[in-house]
Amino acid sequence: MQNDKHSANIKDVAALAQVSTATVSRFLNGNLNRMSDATAERVRVAIDKLKYVPNSAARQMTTKSSKLIALIVANTDDYFSTELFKGVSSILESNGYIGTMLDSDSDLQREKNLLAAVNSHTFDGLILQPFSTISTIENIMRRRAPIVIVDRETPQSPWPQVVTNNFDAAREATAYFVKRGFSHFIVLTSDLSAATNRRERYRGILAAATNVDVLEVSEASYNHRDIHEKLIQLLTKTDERTVIFALKERWILEFVPNLVLQGYIDNVKATATGFADTAVSRRLEPKMKLISQNPFLLGASAAEVMVQALKDGGEQNDDVIVVPAKFK
Amino acid sequence: MQNDKHSANIKDVAALAQVSTATVSRFLNGNLNRMSDATAERVRVAIDKLKYVPNSAARQMTTKSSKLIALIVANTDDYFSTELFKGVSSILESNGYIGTMLDSDSDLQREKNLLAAVNSHTFDGLILQPFSTISTIENIMRRRAPIVIVDRETPQSPWPQVVTNNFDAAREATAYFVKRGFSHFIVLTSDLSAATNRRERYRGILAAATNVDVLEVSEASYNHRDIHEKLIQLLTKTDERTVIFALKERWILEFVPNLVLQGYIDNVKATATGFADTAVSRRLEPKMKLISQNPFLLGASAAEVMVQALKDGGEQNDDVIVVPAKFK
């Protein structure tokens, strides 16, 4: 029997279990339909006794493929991110790949660390909701694995991108409210400078309205009561009909329900809208018209682009695919 | 120059860039501080020209470690799952590992597929919020990588577990309301038979109250209006003071706000409580007392157990670590 637990190999297991190495291999790969229960049990016992560690890195050498795809999202706490991941996983799995999610936590340095980790590990590809610039990503991603950019359109990307029509969707929603007599807009957003999609949305609002206040909320740290009171000040500073326009669903869920309960949002003097995808926001009364992005579809589309690149041996173009948002 | 894009190796790159293979290796590992910009650029150009693919599987062979840990959660759309992941990632990263999240989507077969994928890939360990029984997990996980069970206490686990005191927390919260004159409880839950933590919570409620209705909501498919109306029927069928007890935060967010707006939940005739961790539930008016699990801490604790197992060469015990929930 082996004493060094790192040295047992598949032949040792086969010898102890009195089976062929092919049988051990079938066992390890979960291919049990040509094997009796007794045989499977003998193999299991032999593996346990020898503390045999099948070397998946060695198995990978033969295929040069891990079948793992990394999705780096900005914040896993956002429903947008997790639905994006569900869309990605769904398409990947039907093509024999496995989606795994990593969380940059809206932190540029953390995103860089994750990119370096993805670069140095055995991922077959990367789908990225980026904070970093293209040159930063290029500097870190040294391997030739396919990359797909998702959600945040990034200038000069050499890789394909799957994004929402942020500018048009925000402009159209704003124009809708202007037409109905709302002239004052409060843009409720995380740091505008940090993400291209937020800036595009803000530009869209400015393209259709002139009286626009901006209230930035730091994702890392904010005081709920302060923001709530600032919103009330902004809502009551004018007689104009006002729209609170949240660039992110979290800020709707966080601030709108209590403004409704306190009577500030009544759909007459003031209403709220924004980018929102969960059922929770849609079920608040009074009903608000919201912009839905369909993050599942964005993720599925990004995964389809990834699967195609993998089929094409890593060849990629710099197409921008737009999945339109819906205002309803 | 190479024509077959798969055949270039590190020596070809070094020769074309006129540097040593050690320099190419340093470049690939992002170790640029002993390298001029011009040298780095020559290496980059050589890699591009030769379409050189550094074989990370080969690099892994030397260490037999990928530094990747898989976390399989029940549903990435739940804040509980994503905070669990943030806790896991935080501890793993400070120990040189990378956390990746996979989503079983509350589907037993899907969980089995993911377990098989984790088993056959180069993950150093698995943290699992399980649906499967221990014997199913053992049958699939053939490699000797460490496993930690989280959130759902699983009988006969040979691996360490990090869980909440579900029974005690539910019983204590129920007793609190009974003492204040609430005698009728409506348990709002996903499929009770599917997860041990739900059953423990239900048992805890039954240990402190007798008039208990159960309303099960299917996560895969439910009609919001139907459930809303059933809740109103159950709330109004008795003169007893009633508590809606949600075993999962999603059902609070989904059904409680409109019951508040319609006057059914006033903290006098009826109130609501449940397991909830986001700020959104805590900010609903009137204020409800809720049970907080601290999923970040659960994840961080599970990751600490994992890191210790990895340091101990994979040796594990079957300790059950309880992270107590708070009722406030």
Side-chain angles (χ1 to χ4, degrees):
Chain A
M1 191 179 148
Q2 298 285 329
N3 283 315
D4 175 358
K5 69 178 176 177
H6 290 301
S7 66
N9 63 34
I10 194 167
K11 286 182 190 167
D12 302 324
V13 174
L16 185 61
Q18 298 181 288
V19 298
S20 68
T21 55
T23 299
V24 178
S25 173
R26 281 207 303 279
F27 177 88
L28 291 169
N29 290 305
N31 190 357
L32 300 185
N33 49 358
R34 288 167 58 200
M35 194 178 305
S36 71
D37 286 354
T39 302
E41 187 55 25
R42 280 212 311 282
V43 176
R44 164 185 300 291
V45 168
I47 287 171
D48 275 357
K49 271 201 182 156
L50 297 172
K51 295 185 189 291
Y52 169 61
V53 181
N55 190 333
S56 68
R59 276 185 280 154
Q60 242 174 260
M61 287 287 286
T62 62
T63 61
K64 287 193 179 174
S65 163
S66 69
K67 297 290 179 189
L68 293 176
I69 306 294
L71 168 67
I72 301 182
V73 298
N75 189 342
T76 51
D77 278 349
D78 289 334
Y79 179 83
F80 179 89
S81 295
T82 57
E83 278 295 299
L84 192 73
F85 178 53
K86 282 179 189 281
V88 164
S89 295
S90 140
I91 294 294
L92 288 181
E93 280 168 40
S94 62
N95 285 278
Y97 291 87
I98 300 286
T100 68
M101 180 156 62
L102 298 92
D103 181 17
S104 70
D105 217 9
S106 301
D107 180 313
L108 192 57
Q109 185 53 50
R110 218 182 123 87
E111 179 178 277
K112 288 183 192 171
N113 296 347
L114 290 180
L115 287 170
V118 169
N119 178 62
S120 66
H121 291 96
T122 56
F123 291 97
D124 283 0
L126 167 67
I127 303 175
L128 175 66
Q129 182 190 19
F131 283 102
S132 297
T133 60
I134 292 299
S135 68
T136 302
I137 301 168
E138 279 184 320
N139 271 325
I140 300 175
M141 298 303 292
R142 301 258 160 69
R143 284 196 298 138
R144 300 185 64 84
I147 295 176
V148 177
I149 301 292
V150 69
D151 181 42
R152 296 182 177 162
E153 192 164 350
T154 304
Q156 269 98 48
S157 169
W159 309 292
Q161 310 194 52
V162 177
V163 297
T164 309
N165 55 342
N166 288 297
F167 177 86
D168 287 342
R171 188 185 52 185
E172 282 164 27
T174 305
Y176 169 91
F177 288 109
V178 168
K179 204 170 162 187
R180 274 149 195 82
F182 291 88
S183 52
H184 175 221
F185 290 76
I186 303 168
V187 178
L188 188 61
T189 178
S190 310
D191 181 5
L192 270 181
S193 68
T196 56
N197 54 349
R198 293 174 204 151
R199 291 199 297 276
E200 285 299 294
R201 291 168 187 182
Y202 180 50
R203 284 208 313 122
I205 295 167
L206 289 178
T210 48
N211 187 1
V212 180
D213 285 309
V214 175
L215 184 51
E216 286 191 347
V217 188
S218 157
E219 288 194 32
S221 137
Y222 59 92
N223 181 298
H224 178 83
R225 180 184 296 268
D226 281 356
I227 303 291
H228 180 73
E229 283 172 6
K230 277 184 193 153
L231 279 170
I232 292 174
Q233 277 171 24
L234 290 168
L235 278 166
T236 52
K237 77 169 190 181
T238 165
D239 286 337
E240 294 178 56
R241 297 174 71 192
T242 298
V243 180
I244 294 179
F245 200 131
L247 301 195
K248 170 168 196 154
E249 177 156 21
R250 190 193 312 176
W251 306 136
I252 296 180
L253 292 174
E254 177 96 24
F255 297 106
V256 169
N258 284 346
L259 291 172
V260 169
L261 283 165
Q262 295 175 12
Y264 289 106
I265 292 181
D266 56 2
N267 278 1
V268 180
K269 168 67 174 68
T271 188
T273 189
F275 287 79
D277 297 299
T278 78
V280 176
S281 297
R282 301 211 163 267
R283 281 172 186 146
L284 288 172
E285 298 284 356
K287 291 272 177 272
M288 304 177 293
K289 271 179 80 84
L290 299 167
I291 303 167
S292 165
Q293 289 189 266
N294 201 341
F296 187 95
L297 184 58
L298 274 162
S301 305
E304 276 173 358
V305 172
M306 172 58 69
V307 168
Q308 193 56 51
L310 291 163
K311 280 183 186 156
D312 295 346
E315 291 301 318
Q316 294 193 280
N317 55 40
D318 59 358
D319 287 352
V320 175
I321 294 159
V322 176
V323 178
K326 290 200 175 69
F327 181 58
K328 57 190 177 191
Chain B
M1 191 180 147
Q2 298 284 329
N3 283 315
D4 175 357
K5 69 178 176 176
H6 290 300
S7 66
N9 63 34
I10 195 167
K11 286 182 190 166
D12 302 325
V13 174
L16 185 61
Q18 298 180 289
V19 298
S20 68
T21 54
T23 299
V24 178
S25 173
R26 281 207 303 279
F27 176 88
L28 291 169
N29 290 305
N31 190 356
L32 301 184
N33 49 357
R34 289 166 58 199
M35 194 178 305
S36 71
D37 286 354
T39 302
E41 186 56 25
R42 280 213 310 282
V43 176
R44 165 186 299 291
V45 168
I47 286 171
D48 276 357
K49 271 201 181 154
L50 297 172
K51 295 184 189 290
Y52 168 61
V53 181
N55 190 334
S56 68
R59 276 185 280 155
Q60 243 174 258
M61 287 286 286
T62 62
T63 61
K64 286 193 179 174
S65 163
S66 69
K67 297 290 179 188
L68 293 176
I69 306 294
L71 168 68
I72 301 182
V73 297
N75 189 342
T76 50
D77 278 349
D78 289 334
Y79 179 82
F80 179 89
S81 295
T82 57
E83 278 295 299
L84 192 73
F85 179 53
K86 282 179 190 282
V88 164
S89 295
S90 139
I91 294 294
L92 288 181
E93 280 167 41
S94 62
N95 285 278
Y97 291 87
I98 299 286
T100 68
M101 179 156 61
L102 297 92
D103 180 17
S104 71
D105 217 8
S106 300
D107 180 314
L108 192 58
Q109 185 53 49
R110 219 181 122 86
E111 179 178 277
K112 288 183 192 171
N113 296 346
L114 290 179
L115 287 170
V118 168
N119 178 61
S120 67
H121 290 96
T122 56
F123 291 97
D124 283 359
L126 167 68
I127 303 175
L128 175 66
Q129 182 190 18
F131 283 101
S132 297
T133 60
I134 291 300
S135 68
T136 302
I137 301 168
E138 279 184 320
N139 272 324
I140 300 175
M141 298 304 292
R142 301 259 160 69
R143 284 196 298 138
R144 301 186 63 85
I147 294 176
V148 177
I149 301 292
V150 69
D151 181 42
R152 296 181 177 163
E153 192 165 350
T154 304
Q156 269 98 48
S157 169
W159 308 292
Q161 310 194 53
V162 178
V163 298
T164 309
N165 54 342
N166 288 297
F167 176 87
D168 287 343
R171 188 185 53 185
E172 281 164 27
T174 305
Y176 169 90
F177 288 109
V178 167
K179 204 171 163 188
R180 274 148 195 82
F182 291 88
S183 52
H184 175 221
F185 290 76
I186 303 169
V187 178
L188 188 60
T189 178
S190 310
D191 181 5
L192 270 181
S193 68
T196 56
N197 54 349
R198 293 175 204 151
R199 290 199 297 276
E200 285 299 294
R201 290 167 188 183
Y202 180 50
R203 282 207 315 121
I205 295 167
L206 289 178
T210 48
N211 187 2
V212 180
D213 285 310
V214 175
L215 184 51
E216 286 191 344
V217 187
S218 157
E219 287 194 32
S221 138
Y222 58 93
N223 181 297
H224 178 83
R225 180 184 296 269
D226 281 355
I227 303 291
H228 180 72
E229 283 172 5
K230 277 184 193 152
L231 279 171
I232 292 174
Q233 276 170 26
L234 290 169
L235 278 167
T236 53
K237 78 169 189 181
T238 165
D239 286 337
E240 294 177 57
R241 297 175 72 194
T242 298
V243 180
I244 294 179
F245 200 131
L247 301 195
K248 170 169 195 153
E249 177 155 21
R250 190 193 309 177
W251 307 136
I252 296 179
L253 292 173
E254 177 96 23
F255 297 106
V256 169
N258 284 346
L259 291 172
V260 169
L261 283 165
Q262 295 174 13
Y264 289 105
I265 292 181
D266 57 2
N267 278 1
V268 181
K269 168 67 174 68
T271 188
T273 189
F275 287 79
D277 297 299
T278 78
V280 176
S281 298
R282 301 212 163 265
R283 281 171 187 147
L284 288 171
E285 298 284 356
K287 291 272 177 271
M288 304 177 293
K289 271 180 80 84
L290 299 167
I291 303 166
S292 165
Q293 289 189 266
N294 201 341
F296 187 95
L297 184 57
L298 274 162
S301 304
E304 277 173 358
V305 172
M306 172 59 69
V307 167
Q308 193 55 52
L310 291 163
K311 280 182 187 157
D312 295 345
E315 291 301 317
Q316 294 193 279
N317 55 39
D318 58 358
D319 287 352
V320 176
I321 294 158
V322 176
V323 178
K326 290 200 175 68
F327 181 57
K328 57 190 178 192

